[in-house]
């Protein structure tokens, strides 16, 4: 068994970016010339994609079935697997890829959304004189620059603030961050800088002021991870790779090598998860790029294979955008248990995480209440006391399983390096394990190099440096203006489409429905507070979306931004998908149920619902109880002890407010804990107690009843939109 650890030499950066400084400064000019020359040669070698658009899933399945033998078969549709497929197909190798779920359905869609070298890894490299950690950071910084270059619509530099609360830490952190810039060399996005206390508070007004000395700001990259993964898969498909999601590997195929007499892996038996159909896909080389499930595939090859991956769970939460500035992140370098917490603006929301705890491998990881509260407590430590950090403001939460490479000398997963390992089994199965999102391309390059060498494949060097991903080539920062002018889209929707689909945004705009309003002319939203439109559902099917979960979590990011909004959009999404995919009523109901289960368990809805149950305690002062009882009885005029839709409608009509019955049903259902179609006084008091404690926020019923009480005499219309969507 051969292990080849990734050790990089010169990494080139596309799009005209300069090469990194790899040695002494006097060699920098020479290296830049070498890089520019190599970049030009690589760009000339890569031909245009064979397909203007990715072939349909049906066409891809036929290709998998009818091709006698592929050069490369990749198992796994995450960032690394899709990266391997793209690297192989652009070298001219006949390439296939299968994924048992959807592209990016696992770890690759559940990251911190950063493209970074790893500040803490550099700290470890320096403190422990660890050359491997240093090389990993250096490689990641090179890859960061390349990824920002090849997918500019999906990624951008992000300033991140490191607040300092002790004077001695200021020079300590400053030196560390400056070394981070130095290691990046010419690939440094923008030089880091120091801020005084007053300037730090100008940039991040929510910051804890007490004892604040100042802050240091450095730059890393940020991206839309699931869409980036999908862009890699779609690009590979356009270049000719036969890629298919919902194709499960049931077993590995083997044949005897006539020269050595040993068994060699020669393909895989695959099963279409959607139809149950099975067939063989034969290949000269099979690559295992299954992330946390690495050892499962290795044991298909050899049941006695030793485990080389140690899974670690990382939980993230999403909070309303007002918790952070729109264009400044925050790094907590030393949490109460020694972890690192990021607090970042993302998609106009705020993302916080992550935890790092050992876990079991599962297809459906669930964020725990303990981890959610740990993150909230760390956030409280850094935010001003004027900002009440409420559990009810957690809009979504998820857990991702990192496939870390096991270090037998390590006592815990926090100290395990994210370096990747290429493993070649005796039967020729090639496994790529470990690594990190940012370095997916170099990991793929190392893997395909190993495949070519091990299986004597005829191919040249990697050509993916500087190769634009789907949507990136003709994107520009002002592209959205053309969408507004040419199609009559809202500016917010146009910006979202440009940032999601790049130069393919025009194709989505062409599919947009007429609104029937004076403005916008086209672009019917799926849910009012997010810029996702119905046309994206139709276009998402062209991007291989097969289920409602695919649509709410990876084609759009609704599930990752606000689970309540995602649940509200589900019926319309299922209806639109049903039309395109010819679903019957049974299939539509099945999709709704599966998607709701996904939101409930995997995206934090379960934790949300547990904040208010029929067992919730009522912890209110007697004066508060009296006040809330009076409010309740304004609706319960008959003193029944409960209120129904009819009671709410009566009060609304008395102040000249109209609301449809379905909306009222949704509003009451949020508080109807025993689901008997009415809200009892006790349930209302439980709600108000949970709101006071911060466990629940944005309750539409609470807002409606409070506003009605204040305005019954004045007859002022009542605003009933969801308050920031929190729970």
């Amino acid at each position: 068994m051969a292990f080849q650890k990734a050790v990089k030499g010169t990494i080139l950066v596309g799009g005209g970016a300069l090469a990194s400084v790899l040695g002494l400064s006097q060699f920098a000019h020479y290296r830049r010339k070498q890089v520019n020359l190599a970049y030009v040669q690589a760009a000339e070698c890569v031909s245009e994609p064979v397909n203007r658009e990715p072939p349909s899933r049906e066409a891809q399945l036929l290709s998998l079935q009818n091709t006698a033998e592929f050069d490369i078969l990749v198992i796994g549709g995450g960032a690394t697997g899709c990266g391997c497929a793209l690297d192989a197909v652009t070298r001219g190798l006949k390439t296939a890829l299968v994924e048992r779920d959807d592209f990016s359905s696992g770890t690759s869609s559940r990251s911190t959304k950063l493209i970074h070298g790893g500040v803490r890894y550099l700290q470890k490299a320096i403190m422990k004189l660890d050359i491997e950690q240093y090389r990993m950071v250096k490689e990641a910084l090179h890859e960061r620059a390349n990824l920002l270059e090849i997918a500019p619509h999906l990624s951008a530099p992000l300033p991140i603030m490191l607040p300092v609360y002790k004077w001695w830490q200021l020079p300590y952190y400053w030196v560390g961050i400056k070394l981070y810039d130095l290691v990046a060399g010419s690939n440094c996005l923008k030089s880091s800088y120091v801020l005084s206390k007053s300037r730090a508070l100008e940039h991040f007004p929510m910051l804890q002021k007490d004892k604040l000395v100042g802050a240091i700001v450095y730059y890393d990259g940020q991206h839309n991870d699931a869409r980036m993964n999908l862009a890699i898969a779609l690009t590979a498909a356009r270049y000719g790779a036969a890629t298919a999601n919902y194709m499960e590997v049931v077993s590995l195929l083997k044949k005897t090598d006539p020269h050595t007499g040993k068994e060699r892996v020669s393909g895989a038996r695959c099963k279409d998860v959607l139809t149950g159909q099975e067939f063989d896909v034969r290949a000269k080389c099979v690559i295992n790029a299954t992330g946390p499930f690495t050892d499962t595939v290795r044991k298909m090859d050899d049941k006695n294979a030793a485990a080389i991956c140690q899974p670690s769970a990382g939980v993230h939460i999403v909070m309303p955008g007002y918790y952070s500035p729109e264009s400044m992140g925050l790094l907590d370098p030393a949490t109460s248990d020694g972890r690192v917490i990021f607090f970042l603006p993302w998609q106009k929301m705020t993302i916080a995480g992550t935890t790092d705890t050992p876990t079991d491998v599962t297809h459906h990881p669930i964020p725990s209440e303990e981890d959610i509260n740990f993150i909230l407590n760390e956030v409280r430590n850094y935010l001003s006391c004027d900002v009440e950090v409420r559990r009810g403001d957690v809009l979504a939460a998820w857990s991702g399983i990192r496939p870390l490479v096991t270090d037998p000398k390590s006592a815990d997963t926090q100290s395990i390096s994210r370096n990747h390992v290429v493993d070649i089994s005796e039967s020729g199965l090639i496994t790529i394990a470990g690594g990190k999102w940012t370095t997916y391309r170099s990991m793929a390059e190392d893997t395909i190099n190993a495949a070519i060498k091990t299986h004597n494949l005829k191919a040249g060097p990697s050509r993916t440096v500087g190769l634009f991903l789907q949507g990136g080539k003709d994107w520009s920062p002002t592209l959205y203006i053309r969408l507004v002018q040419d199609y009559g889209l809202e500016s917010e929707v146009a910006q979202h489409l440009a940032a999601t689909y790049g130069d393919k945004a025009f194709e989505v705009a062409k599919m947009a429905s007429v609104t029937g309003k004076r403005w916008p002319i086209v672009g019917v939203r799926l849910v009012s507070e997010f810029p996702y439109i119905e046309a994206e559902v139709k276009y998402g099917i062209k991007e291989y979306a097969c289920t409602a979960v695919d649509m709410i979590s990876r084609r759009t990011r609704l599930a990752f931004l606000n689970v309540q909004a995602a649940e509200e959009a589900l019926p319309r999404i299922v209806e639109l998908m049903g039309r395109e995919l010819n679903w019957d009523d049974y299939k539509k109901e099945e999709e709704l149920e599966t998607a709701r289960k996904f939101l409930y368990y995997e995206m934090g809805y379960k934790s949300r619902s547990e904040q208010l149950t029929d067992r919730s305690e009522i912890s209110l002062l007697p004066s508060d109880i009296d006040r809330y009882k009076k409010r309740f009885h304004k609706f319960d005029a008959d003193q029944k002890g409960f209120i129904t839709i009819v009671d709410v409608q009566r009060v609304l009509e008395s102040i000249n407010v109209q609301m449809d019955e379905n909306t009222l049903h949704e509003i009451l259902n949020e508080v109807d804990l025993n689901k008997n179609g009415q809200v009892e006084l006790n349930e209302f008091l439980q709600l108000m107690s949970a709101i006071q404690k911060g466990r629940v926020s944005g309750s539409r019923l609470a807002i409606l009843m409070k506003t009605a009480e204040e305005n019954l005499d004045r007859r002022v219309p009542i605003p009933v939109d969801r308050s920031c969507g929190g729970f």
Side-chain angles (χ1 to χ4, degrees):
M1 186 178 295
F3 285 89
Q4 303 177 353
K5 288 210 171 182
V7 179
K8 301 301 292 181
T10 306
I11 305 293
L12 311 181
V13 180
L18 298 177
S20 68
V21 181
L22 295 179
L24 300 174
S25 60
Q26 57 261 46
F27 291 106
H29 182 65
Y30 168 75
R31 286 298 189 189
R32 281 196 290 270
K33 285 184 176 179
Q34 293 292 96
V35 168
N36 288 334
L37 177 61
Y39 173 72
V40 170
Q41 290 173 340
E44 289 174 349
C45 289
V46 179
S47 61
E48 288 296 310
V50 296
N51 303 304
R52 185 176 178 275
E53 297 295 332
S56 67
R57 183 174 182 273
E58 291 71 23
Q60 297 285 44
L61 292 178
L62 286 174
S63 179
L64 287 171
Q65 284 180 272
N66 297 332
T67 301
E69 186 180 49
F70 289 95
D71 294 318
I72 298 279
L73 169 61
V74 182
I75 306 173
T80 305
C82 291
C84 287
L86 180 58
D87 190 283
V89 75
T90 51
R91 297 194 200 202
L93 295 170
K94 193 179 294 183
T95 305
L97 179 146
V98 292
E99 159 61 45
R100 73 173 299 278
D101 205 301
D102 185 26
F103 301 115
S104 196
S105 59
T107 307
S108 295
S109 64
R110 306 179 190 219
S111 72
T112 312
K113 323 304 180 193
L114 284 177
I115 310 170
H116 63 135
V119 173
R120 63 171 172 157
Y121 302 140
L122 181 60
Q123 180 190 29
K124 289 181 181 179
I126 294 170
M127 300 297 288
K128 299 181 180 180
L129 300 178
D130 187 338
I131 190 64
E132 284 298 317
Q133 290 269 19
Y134 171 78
R135 285 172 176 159
M136 183 195 71
V137 173
K138 193 170 184 66
E139 175 186 66
L141 289 170
H142 286 282
E143 293 301 320
R144 178 188 69 179
N146 184 64
L147 195 50
L148 289 167
E149 183 84 21
I150 64 177
H153 58 303
L154 292 170
S155 59
L158 176 71
I160 300 175
M161 180 182 290
L162 198 163
V164 179
Y165 289 90
K166 295 178 181 177
W167 280 108
W168 69 264
Q169 290 179 333
L170 199 60
Y172 174 77
Y173 287 137
W174 181 84
V175 170
I177 294 299
K178 281 300 176 185
L179 281 173
Y180 192 61
D181 290 348
L182 186 64
V183 172
S186 59
N187 293 320
C188 181
L189 301 179
K190 191 174 180 180
S191 184
S192 58
Y193 55 91
V194 176
L195 291 174
S196 65
K197 176 178 179 177
S198 60
R199 291 283 290 161
L201 292 172
E202 282 181 28
H203 286 280
F204 210 117
M206 310 85 173
L207 204 57
Q208 173 65 260
K209 303 174 186 177
D210 297 342
K211 298 182 180 179
L212 181 67
V213 172
I216 300 169
V217 176
Y218 72 99
Y219 285 77
D220 257 325
Q222 188 178 52
H223 69 151
N224 186 337
D225 52 3
R227 292 294 316 183
M228 185 74 80
N229 193 156
L230 185 62
I232 302 168
L234 294 171
T235 306
R238 289 182 62 209
Y239 273 92
T243 60
N245 54 352
Y246 293 99
M247 287 297 297
E248 181 179 6
V249 171
V250 178
S251 61
L252 296 177
L253 305 177
K254 292 188 176 182
K255 66 180 181 181
T256 303
D257 188 324
H259 301 293
T260 63
K262 294 182 178 179
E263 279 197 331
R264 305 285 288 177
V265 173
S266 60
R269 180 73 175 175
C270 297
K271 176 183 177 181
D272 187 337
V273 176
L274 302 179
T275 65
Q277 181 187 13
E278 291 189 16
F279 54 85
D280 293 340
V281 179
R282 300 197 173 273
K284 296 172 185 175
C285 171
V286 176
I287 294 173
N288 170 18
T290 52
F293 301 94
T294 290
D295 292 321
T296 302
V297 177
R298 280 166 49 79
K299 290 183 183 297
M300 285 185 185
D301 173 41
D302 177 7
K303 63 181 180 180
N304 297 317
I308 64 171
C309 277
Q310 183 171 327
S312 169
V315 171
H316 295 82
I317 64 174
V318 168
M319 307 177 78
Y322 56 70
Y323 272 94
S324 66
E326 191 174 338
S327 57
M328 179 71 75
L330 183 75
L331 167 64
D332 178 356
T335 61
S336 56
D337 65 351
R339 305 173 190 174
V340 171
I341 289 285
F342 285 98
F343 194 61
L344 310 167
W346 183 69
Q347 302 283 306
K348 297 189 176 179
M349 294 294 178
T350 301
I351 183 172
T354 177
T355 58
D356 195 355
T357 52
T359 186
D360 295 325
V361 175
T362 172
H363 289 289
H364 307 289
I366 299 172
S368 70
E369 187 64 22
E370 180 183 358
D371 283 331
I372 291 171
N373 284 321
F374 167 79
I375 296 171
L376 287 173
N377 287 332
E378 294 302 324
V379 169
R380 288 187 185 101
N381 292 336
Y382 273 85
L383 294 190
S384 167
C385 57
D386 296 334
V387 180
E388 183 185 357
V389 180
R390 304 180 298 183
R391 174 62 182 83
D393 280 339
V394 177
L395 309 177
W398 67 85
S399 176
I401 301 178
R402 303 186 192 90
L404 307 184
V405 179
T406 303
D407 179 357
K409 297 179 182 178
S410 174
D412 59 20
T413 57
Q414 284 97 311
S415 63
I416 294 178
S417 170
R418 267 61 172 179
N419 274 336
H420 63 273
V421 172
V422 177
D423 166 40
I424 306 168
S425 74
E426 291 184 3
S427 62
L429 174 70
I430 295 182
T431 295
I432 172 68
K436 53 191 293 185
W437 222 122
T438 307
T439 58
Y440 85 90
R441 193 212 62 81
S442 61
M443 292 166 62
E445 180 181 340
D446 291 343
T447 306
I448 301 304
N449 285 343
I452 291 170
K453 182 178 179 181
T454 303
H455 294 274
N456 299 315
L457 303 176
K458 294 181 180 180
S462 176
R463 299 171 179 176
T464 51
V465 169
L467 181 68
F468 280 107
L469 299 182
Q470 166 113 334
K473 187 175 182 180
D474 295 321
W475 174 87
S476 74
T478 58
L479 183 146
Y480 80 94
I481 297 175
R482 288 175 55 197
L483 292 171
V484 175
Q485 294 175 336
D486 294 352
Y487 295 94
L489 288 161
E490 289 177 82
S491 181
E492 184 187 12
V493 171
Q495 289 179 50
H496 153 68
L497 294 181
T500 302
Y501 304 95
D503 58 30
K504 299 294 181 184
F506 296 100
E507 296 180 19
V508 183
K510 289 175 185 176
M511 304 170 74
S513 304
V514 176
T515 63
K517 302 176 183 178
R518 183 184 63 81
W519 189 264
I521 299 171
V522 301
V524 178
R525 294 194 182 210
L526 288 169
V527 64
S528 61
E529 66 263 50
F530 290 95
Y532 299 107
I533 60 174
E534 292 183 355
E536 292 181 78
V537 178
K538 300 174 187 176
Y539 191 78
I541 293 171
K542 294 179 64 177
E543 295 181 319
Y544 304 129
C546 299
T547 70
V549 172
D550 298 344
M551 204 64 71
I552 62 174
S553 58
R554 293 173 287 274
R555 302 312 181 277
T556 73
R557 305 311 306 274
L558 264 177
F560 283 80
L561 295 171
N562 189 317
V563 290
Q564 279 186 290
E567 187 184 42
E568 284 180 22
L570 263 178
R572 182 59 178 161
I573 287 173
V574 169
E575 182 184 346
L576 291 168
M577 292 188 75
R579 286 183 201 167
E580 299 294 319
L581 299 173
N582 298 316
W583 289 346
D584 58 22
D585 290 342
Y586 176 81
K587 176 63 176 175
K588 289 178 185 177
E589 192 58 38
E590 183 182 54
E591 285 294 321
L592 276 172
E593 184 61 30
T594 301
R596 285 170 177 151
K597 187 176 179 181
F598 167 78
L599 292 173
Y600 185 75
Y601 289 105
E602 297 185 51
M603 299 311 301
Y605 218 149
K606 179 176 185 291
S607 294
R608 176 262 181 192
S609 63
E610 289 172 348
Q611 302 308 307
L612 181 64
T613 69
D614 55 5
R615 297 181 300 278
S616 297
E617 292 182 4
I618 299 174
S619 302
L620 295 169
L621 295 173
S623 58
D624 289 331
I625 292 176
D626 290 340
R627 178 159 54 93
Y628 294 139
K629 280 183 176 180
K630 289 178 182 177
R631 183 177 302 171
F632 185 85
H633 289 139
K634 287 185 182 294
F635 285 76
D636 181 24
D638 301 329
Q639 303 291 305
K640 305 183 298 297
F642 60 85
I643 59 174
T644 64
I645 289 177
V646 175
D647 296 316
V648 177
Q649 283 177 327
R650 175 182 51 78
V651 173
L652 293 180
E653 286 173 3
S654 72
I655 54 176
N656 300 319
V657 172
Q658 299 295 322
M659 189 179 300
D660 68 87
E661 192 169 323
N662 288 334
T663 302
L664 282 175
H665 177 75
E666 290 176 6
I667 291 173
L668 264 67
N669 193 52
E670 292 173 1
V671 189
D672 181 13
L673 303 179
N674 56 16
K675 303 305 177 188
N676 62 355
Q678 57 198 32
V679 175
E680 283 92 6
L681 173 60
N682 198 58
E683 290 174 325
F684 179 67
L685 293 176
Q686 287 173 317
L687 168 66
M688 301 314 296
S689 179
I691 289 174
Q692 278 200 8
K693 291 179 179 178
R695 294 201 306 264
V696 173
S697 66
S699 167
R700 290 185 283 180
L701 181 64
I703 293 169
L704 184 150
M705 293 179 71
K706 178 183 178 183
T707 313
E709 182 184 49
E710 293 172 349
N711 295 286
L712 272 171
D713 293 332
R714 289 178 292 165
R715 304 295 189 264
V716 175
I718 304 173
V720 293
D721 290 339
R722 184 192 303 111
S723 172
C724 81
F727 48 77

